[in-house]
Amino acid sequence: MKIDCLMGTYGRYSLVCEALACFLQQSAVSQATLLIYNQHPVPLRFDHPRVRIINETLPACSLRYIRQRMHELADPSAEFIHWWDDD
């Protein structure tokens, strides 16, 4: 079963690290992938096969637009999409 988890952040590095550690410890969904959508001008970097980071600086926009953008970036082959929070 393919699960794509989507997590938005605005450069909250310490919270992202904690959320990422929790995600990678999940054993029941070892096939899940995590998309981290960062809008902060300082890019985030992490190299892991189950993690994809999109650094995209946009003008101020609504949370609805941000979630829509993350949904567009999700893996189209995913059977399920789960929202993952960084806090």
Side-chain angles (χ1 to χ4, degrees), residues 4-87:
D4 210 10
C5 299
L6 309 177
M7 181 177 80
T9 191
Y10 187 79
R12 302 185 327 171
Y13 182 76
S14 61
L15 291 174
V16 168
C17 290
E18 187 176 337
L20 184 55
C22 290
F23 174 80
L24 293 174
Q25 291 175 4
Q26 301 297 314
S27 59
V29 288
S30 62
Q31 298 301 317
T33 57
L34 178 65
L35 175 121
I36 300 173
Y37 184 71
N38 178 41
Q39 290 186 282
H40 196 269
V42 177
L44 296 175
R45 305 234 185 276
F46 187 76
D47 187 27
H48 192 278
R50 292 179 49 210
V51 178
R52 186 168 51 119
I53 297 178
I54 304 291
N55 293 295
E56 190 172 74
T57 307
L58 300 174
C61 55
S62 68
L63 180 58
R64 177 177 179 236
Y65 177 82
I66 294 166
R67 285 187 169 255
Q68 178 183 352
R69 181 68 180 130
M70 288 191 297
H71 196 268
E72 290 170 357
L73 295 167
D75 185 347
S77 68
E79 297 173 58
F80 295 101
I81 291 179
H82 178 75
W83 297 97
W84 196 270
D85 292 319
D86 66 348
D87 58 0

